[in-house]
PDB file of all heavy atoms in Angstrom:
ATOM      1  N   GLU K 142      49.895 -33.175   8.199  1.00  0.00           N
ATOM      2  CA  GLU K 142      49.618 -32.050   9.082  1.00  0.00           C
ATOM      3  C   GLU K 142      50.352 -30.790   8.588  1.00  0.00           C
ATOM      4  O   GLU K 142      50.832 -29.967   9.337  1.00  0.00           O
ATOM      5  CB  GLU K 142      50.039 -32.362  10.531  1.00  0.00           C
ATOM      6  CG  GLU K 142      49.266 -33.509  11.115  1.00  0.00           C
ATOM      7  CD  GLU K 142      49.548 -33.737  12.594  1.00  0.00           C
ATOM      8  OE1 GLU K 142      50.387 -32.969  13.163  1.00  0.00           O
ATOM      9  OE2 GLU K 142      48.920 -34.622  13.197  1.00  0.00           O
ATOM     10  N   GLU K 143      50.367 -30.622   7.248  1.00  0.00           N
ATOM     11  CA  GLU K 143      50.940 -29.433   6.644  1.00  0.00           C
ATOM     12  C   GLU K 143      49.907 -28.391   6.289  1.00  0.00           C
ATOM     13  O   GLU K 143      50.223 -27.314   5.781  1.00  0.00           O
ATOM     14  CB  GLU K 143      51.700 -29.855   5.379  1.00  0.00           C
ATOM     15  CG  GLU K 143      52.900 -30.744   5.626  1.00  0.00           C
ATOM     16  CD  GLU K 143      53.541 -31.291   4.367  1.00  0.00           C
ATOM     17  OE1 GLU K 143      52.985 -30.998   3.287  1.00  0.00           O
ATOM     18  OE2 GLU K 143      54.534 -31.979   4.494  1.00  0.00           O
ATOM     19  N   LEU K 144      48.620 -28.655   6.593  1.00  0.00           N
ATOM     20  CA  LEU K 144      47.547 -27.725   6.333  1.00  0.00           C
ATOM     21  C   LEU K 144      46.705 -27.554   7.612  1.00  0.00           C
ATOM     22  O   LEU K 144      46.460 -28.503   8.340  1.00  0.00           O
ATOM     23  CB  LEU K 144      46.625 -28.213   5.239  1.00  0.00           C
ATOM     24  CG  LEU K 144      47.234 -28.386   3.823  1.00  0.00           C
ATOM     25  CD1 LEU K 144      46.239 -29.043   2.864  1.00  0.00           C
ATOM     26  CD2 LEU K 144      47.727 -27.047   3.290  1.00  0.00           C
ATOM     27  N   ASP K 145      46.269 -26.312   7.863  1.00  0.00           N
ATOM     28  CA  ASP K 145      45.392 -26.047   8.973  1.00  0.00           C
ATOM     29  C   ASP K 145      43.935 -26.096   8.560  1.00  0.00           C
ATOM     30  O   ASP K 145      43.068 -26.472   9.347  1.00  0.00           O
ATOM     31  CB  ASP K 145      45.712 -24.639   9.582  1.00  0.00           C
ATOM     32  CG  ASP K 145      47.127 -24.512  10.011  1.00  0.00           C
ATOM     33  OD1 ASP K 145      47.614 -25.376  10.782  1.00  0.00           O
ATOM     34  OD2 ASP K 145      47.809 -23.579   9.537  1.00  0.00           O
ATOM     35  N   ILE K 146      43.657 -25.636   7.354  1.00  0.00           N
ATOM     36  CA  ILE K 146      42.282 -25.647   6.789  1.00  0.00           C
ATOM     37  C   ILE K 146      42.371 -26.189   5.384  1.00  0.00           C
ATOM     38  O   ILE K 146      43.323 -25.888   4.637  1.00  0.00           O
ATOM     39  CB  ILE K 146      41.715 -24.221   6.770  1.00  0.00           C
ATOM     40  CG1 ILE K 146      41.657 -23.627   8.188  1.00  0.00           C
ATOM     41  CG2 ILE K 146      40.316 -24.210   6.135  1.00  0.00           C
ATOM     42  CD1 ILE K 146      41.250 -22.153   8.243  1.00  0.00           C
ATOM     43  N   MET K 147      41.408 -26.982   5.040  1.00  0.00           N
ATOM     44  CA  MET K 147      41.436 -27.610   3.705  1.00  0.00           C
ATOM     45  C   MET K 147      40.023 -27.626   3.083  1.00  0.00           C
ATOM     46  O   MET K 147      39.068 -28.101   3.726  1.00  0.00           O
ATOM     47  CB  MET K 147      41.939 -29.052   3.807  1.00  0.00           C
ATOM     48  CG  MET K 147      41.939 -29.802   2.486  1.00  0.00           C
ATOM     49  SD  MET K 147      42.690 -31.443   2.589  1.00  0.00           S
ATOM     50  CE  MET K 147      41.449 -32.294   3.654  1.00  0.00           C
ATOM     51  N   LEU K 148      39.915 -27.057   1.894  1.00  0.00           N
ATOM     52  CA  LEU K 148      38.717 -27.189   1.071  1.00  0.00           C
ATOM     53  C   LEU K 148      39.069 -28.122  -0.031  1.00  0.00           C
ATOM     54  O   LEU K 148      39.985 -27.904  -0.797  1.00  0.00           O
ATOM     55  CB  LEU K 148      38.348 -25.792   0.507  1.00  0.00           C
ATOM     56  CG  LEU K 148      37.050 -25.705  -0.272  1.00  0.00           C
ATOM     57  CD1 LEU K 148      35.832 -25.967   0.644  1.00  0.00           C
ATOM     58  CD2 LEU K 148      36.899 -24.333  -0.916  1.00  0.00           C
ATOM     59  N   ILE K 149      38.331 -29.263  -0.096  1.00  0.00           N
ATOM     60  CA  ILE K 149      38.786 -30.347  -0.989  1.00  0.00           C
ATOM     61  C   ILE K 149      37.602 -31.010  -1.613  1.00  0.00           C
ATOM     62  O   ILE K 149      36.493 -31.102  -1.037  1.00  0.00           O
ATOM     63  CB  ILE K 149      39.605 -31.367  -0.179  1.00  0.00           C
ATOM     64  CG1 ILE K 149      40.308 -32.368  -1.109  1.00  0.00           C
ATOM     65  CG2 ILE K 149      38.749 -32.111   0.831  1.00  0.00           C
ATOM     66  CD1 ILE K 149      41.291 -33.267  -0.388  1.00  0.00           C
ATOM     67  N   LYS K 150      37.751 -31.491  -2.847  1.00  0.00           N
ATOM     68  CA  LYS K 150      36.787 -32.332  -3.532  1.00  0.00           C
ATOM     69  C   LYS K 150      37.147 -33.770  -3.216  1.00  0.00           C
ATOM     70  O   LYS K 150      38.302 -34.181  -3.431  1.00  0.00           O
ATOM     71  CB  LYS K 150      36.795 -32.049  -5.016  1.00  0.00           C
ATOM     72  CG  LYS K 150      36.371 -30.624  -5.361  1.00  0.00           C
ATOM     73  CD  LYS K 150      36.434 -30.364  -6.833  1.00  0.00           C
ATOM     74  CE  LYS K 150      36.053 -28.935  -7.153  1.00  0.00           C
ATOM     75  NZ  LYS K 150      36.045 -28.682  -8.588  1.00  0.00           N
ATOM     76  N   GLN K 151      36.198 -34.553  -2.783  1.00  0.00           N
ATOM     77  CA  GLN K 151      36.486 -35.906  -2.344  1.00  0.00           C
ATOM     78  C   GLN K 151      35.274 -36.826  -2.517  1.00  0.00           C
ATOM     79  O   GLN K 151      34.152 -36.343  -2.564  1.00  0.00           O
ATOM     80  CB  GLN K 151      36.896 -35.878  -0.887  1.00  0.00           C
ATOM     81  CG  GLN K 151      35.788 -35.408   0.029  1.00  0.00           C
ATOM     82  CD  GLN K 151      36.078 -35.617   1.513  1.00  0.00           C
ATOM     83  OE1 GLN K 151      37.259 -35.767   1.910  1.00  0.00           O
ATOM     84  NE2 GLN K 151      35.089 -35.668   2.336  1.00  0.00           N
ATOM     85  N   PRO K 152      35.509 -38.149  -2.554  1.00  0.00           N
ATOM     86  CA  PRO K 152      34.376 -39.066  -2.415  1.00  0.00           C
ATOM     87  C   PRO K 152      33.778 -38.905  -0.999  1.00  0.00           C
ATOM     88  O   PRO K 152      34.519 -38.625  -0.036  1.00  0.00           O
ATOM     89  CB  PRO K 152      35.062 -40.462  -2.566  1.00  0.00           C
ATOM     90  CG  PRO K 152      36.394 -40.173  -3.191  1.00  0.00           C
ATOM     91  CD  PRO K 152      36.778 -38.814  -2.723  1.00  0.00           C
ATOM     92  N   GLY K 153      32.492 -39.025  -0.884  1.00  0.00           N
ATOM     93  CA  GLY K 153      31.874 -38.858   0.407  1.00  0.00           C
ATOM     94  C   GLY K 153      32.367 -39.915   1.399  1.00  0.00           C
ATOM     95  O   GLY K 153      32.780 -40.992   1.028  1.00  0.00           O
ATOM     96  N   GLY K 154      32.430 -39.546   2.676  1.00  0.00           N
ATOM     97  CA  GLY K 154      32.898 -40.508   3.685  1.00  0.00           C
ATOM     98  C   GLY K 154      33.336 -39.816   4.945  1.00  0.00           C
ATOM     99  O   GLY K 154      32.704 -39.917   6.013  1.00  0.00           O
ATOM    100  N   GLU K 155      34.435 -39.048   4.862  1.00  0.00           N
ATOM    101  CA  GLU K 155      34.937 -38.322   6.057  1.00  0.00           C
ATOM    102  C   GLU K 155      33.976 -37.219   6.410  1.00  0.00           C
ATOM    103  O   GLU K 155      33.307 -36.635   5.566  1.00  0.00           O
ATOM    104  CB  GLU K 155      36.336 -37.735   5.754  1.00  0.00           C
ATOM    105  CG  GLU K 155      37.390 -38.800   5.435  1.00  0.00           C
ATOM    106  CD  GLU K 155      38.757 -38.152   5.214  1.00  0.00           C
ATOM    107  OE1 GLU K 155      39.238 -37.522   6.158  1.00  0.00           O
ATOM    108  OE2 GLU K 155      39.300 -38.333   4.114  1.00  0.00           O
ATOM    109  N   ARG K 156      33.897 -36.912   7.697  1.00  0.00           N
ATOM    110  CA  ARG K 156      32.937 -35.929   8.201  1.00  0.00           C
ATOM    111  C   ARG K 156      33.640 -34.566   8.258  1.00  0.00           C
ATOM    112  O   ARG K 156      34.449 -34.266   9.135  1.00  0.00           O
ATOM    113  CB  ARG K 156      32.462 -36.314   9.584  1.00  0.00           C
ATOM    114  CG  ARG K 156      31.696 -37.655   9.603  1.00  0.00           C
ATOM    115  CD  ARG K 156      31.111 -37.950  10.990  1.00  0.00           C
ATOM    116  NE  ARG K 156      30.141 -36.923  11.352  1.00  0.00           N
ATOM    117  CZ  ARG K 156      29.551 -36.946  12.528  1.00  0.00           C
ATOM    118  NH1 ARG K 156      29.786 -37.865  13.403  1.00  0.00           N
ATOM    119  NH2 ARG K 156      28.667 -35.978  12.843  1.00  0.00           N
ATOM    120  N   PRO K 157      33.245 -33.650   7.358  1.00  0.00           N
ATOM    121  CA  PRO K 157      33.871 -32.333   7.315  1.00  0.00           C
ATOM    122  C   PRO K 157      33.104 -31.335   8.188  1.00  0.00           C
ATOM    123  O   PRO K 157      32.074 -31.646   8.748  1.00  0.00           O
ATOM    124  CB  PRO K 157      33.767 -31.973   5.843  1.00  0.00           C
ATOM    125  CG  PRO K 157      32.502 -32.644   5.400  1.00  0.00           C
ATOM    126  CD  PRO K 157      32.356 -33.909   6.238  1.00  0.00           C
ATOM    127  N   LEU K 158      33.689 -30.126   8.246  1.00  0.00           N
ATOM    128  CA  LEU K 158      33.021 -29.026   8.947  1.00  0.00           C
ATOM    129  C   LEU K 158      31.816 -28.575   8.158  1.00  0.00           C
ATOM    130  O   LEU K 158      30.777 -28.207   8.703  1.00  0.00           O
ATOM    131  CB  LEU K 158      34.001 -27.879   9.098  1.00  0.00           C
ATOM    132  CG  LEU K 158      33.551 -26.603   9.834  1.00  0.00           C
ATOM    133  CD1 LEU K 158      33.242 -26.957  11.307  1.00  0.00           C
ATOM    134  CD2 LEU K 158      34.594 -25.515   9.756  1.00  0.00           C
ATOM    135  N   ALA K 159      31.915 -28.605   6.838  1.00  0.00           N
ATOM    136  CA  ALA K 159      30.778 -28.286   5.941  1.00  0.00           C
ATOM    137  C   ALA K 159      31.016 -28.985   4.624  1.00  0.00           C
ATOM    138  O   ALA K 159      32.153 -29.323   4.277  1.00  0.00           O
ATOM    139  CB  ALA K 159      30.720 -26.756   5.700  1.00  0.00           C
TER     140      ALA K 159
END
Side-chain angles (χ1 to χ4, degrees):
E142 298 187 359
E143 295 173 358
L144 298 174
D145 303 306
I146 301 173
M147 176 176 68
L148 186 65
I149 192 171
K150 297 178 180 182
Q151 64 170 20
E155 298 183 59
R156 298 185 61 182
L158 182 65

